[in-house]
Amino acid sequence: MTTTKAHIPARDADTMPRRETAGLRIAYILKMYPRFSETFIVNEILAHEAAGTSVEIFSLRPPTDGRFHENYAQVQANVTYVPQPSSRVSTFWPFLRAALAEFPTLATLIQTPALESGDLVQAIHIARAVRTQNIGVLHAHFGSIATSVAQLVHKLTDVPFIFTAHAKDIFHESVQAEDLARKLQDAAGVITVSDYNCNYLRTTYQSDLPNLHRIYNGLDLARFPYRAPATRPRHILGVGRLIEKKGFHVLIDACAHLADQGIEFECDIVGSGQMEAELAAQIARLSLHDRVRLLGAAPQGDVIRRLHSTAVFAAPCVVGCDGNRDGLPTVLLEAMALGTPCISTDVTGIPEILHHGETGLQVAQEDAHSLAAALAQLLDDAALRVRLAQNARRTIEADFDIHKNTAAIRALYQQVAEQVQTSATSPSISTTPPTHRRAASPVPANNPAHNQHTIQEVV
């Protein structure tokens, strides 16, 4: 496996923070690292490292993004790019036979229905590293591929795993309910990023899910200083991937309504994605090329500068035709922290922080007329902008401080590790940690049948 490490100046020993996890080593298992759109993950890792926690990162895919945010350079953790499965049977089967000698549970594991051989091969590579590096807890982000591999590593090594569920991995039509139910069952802990998500998982999977925890994504507030929005230019800003769930098609229609009313404004949309050509055509069709610009992707520092100089941040999120939706957009938190008045919708966890008339303005999904009216209101009313921005900053400080929120994650790591230690030292016929000894798997309320098949050979 290929391992890399960021090169940054070493910190003075006197300034090193107290270790909260008492030498516990954490392995982050991620589908791809680094990834331009996943600033919440690097924020989390940096906060763990600031608290003195040792982190190892395992990336299942090499990065494909052409640019990265500047704070990735601050991460100290080793990054291991896990080898992809060989396409040759002559290589695969000797690899598997050697692994059978190392991991006694593998013989049973390979008979698991729907087991993907590619996931298993990568899990074996990680399992070897977990043993040699004395990893105590596995943490995957998104309940899809990364969690599938973490679950397999757990079954090979007995090292407990937790995972963080976000949005697409919960709501998208491609989510296999039975697979996610098994992951919820097997995980020592499950984190999700909003109360809405918690309620959805408990309702959908007909279980109280005692190991489910709502821990909001957080921000390093020192990087997001508040500035009052009283005298900002009449600029509107949208930031995010150019995909349906972000609702930028609604924002462009709203801008057309503003232009029709003769309202002075400019609108910039920062991001890239599969809808770029479609949105550009919409701008041209509505003759908005002198008012609305698609700027492409930008690093976080540039986004912060733009947010500090815009009167309104618009996040007109919608539930996509495929069920996909935002969990709680990180850039919305960033805008609220920076003092930029925000407009958004009622999608998933957004109403938990954006309270209409208090911390921002809320409009209905797909309602361009209401969005235009809210944009005009904030462009024209400086006092309202300031009041909403002050309240929003207080909310972010209270509930979204990365150091407070990652402390809760580290407490979960410690709890899980201690439960495993207790189980290992207690006389018992079963060697399964108490956290994992549960009744039958939660059954999804909507339980579609899925094709079951055994391990797919790599040929």
Side-chain angles (χ1 to χ4, degrees), residues 317-332:
C317 304
V318 301
V319 176
C321 295
D322 56 4
N324 198 12
R325 64 200 81 173
D326 263 312
L328 192 52
T330 301
V331 70
L332 179 62

Side-chain angles (χ1 to χ4, degrees), residues 61 166 177 304 416:
R61 307 286 187 272
H166 292 272
I304 290 172
V416 167

Side-chain angles (χ1 to χ4, degrees), residues 165-243:
H166 292 272
K168 184 176 182 179
D169 53 326
I170 302 174
F171 304 116
H172 194 273
E173 63 184 6
S174 64
V175 173
Q176 296 187 2
E178 291 178 354
D179 177 62
L180 184 54
R182 285 190 292 268
K183 290 167 179 173
L184 294 167
Q185 163 76 12
D186 287 349
V190 180
I191 297 169
T192 194
V193 298
S194 70
D195 290 327
Y196 180 97
N197 285 7
C198 283
N199 293 334
Y200 176 88
L201 289 171
R202 289 189 173 112
T203 300
T204 302
Y205 293 91
Q206 298 182 340
S207 171
D208 60 358
L209 297 175
N211 290 327
L212 178 63
H213 306 267
R214 191 271 287 149
I215 302 177
Y216 287 129
N217 289 333
L219 302 177
D220 182 352
L221 296 178
R223 298 189 65 239
F224 297 90
Y226 174 86
R227 293 182 188 171
T231 58
R232 298 188 187 183
R234 298 175 66 86
H235 289 174
I236 300 164
L237 185 66
V239 179
R241 287 177 294 147
L242 305 185
I243 55 177

Side-chain angles (χ1 to χ4, degrees), residues 132-147:
T132 59
Q133 297 176 25
N134 196 29
I135 299 295
V137 177
L138 313 170
H139 187 172
H141 269 270
F142 296 95
S144 45
I145 295 173
T147 297

Side-chain angles (χ1 to χ4, degrees), residues 392-414:
R393 175 69 188 199
R394 293 189 192 102
T395 295
I396 297 299
E397 290 177 348
D399 295 330
F400 295 90
D401 184 325
I402 191 71
H403 299 292
K404 294 178 184 176
N405 295 7
T406 54
I409 296 174
R410 291 189 294 277
L412 178 59
Y413 293 158
Q414 198 68 47

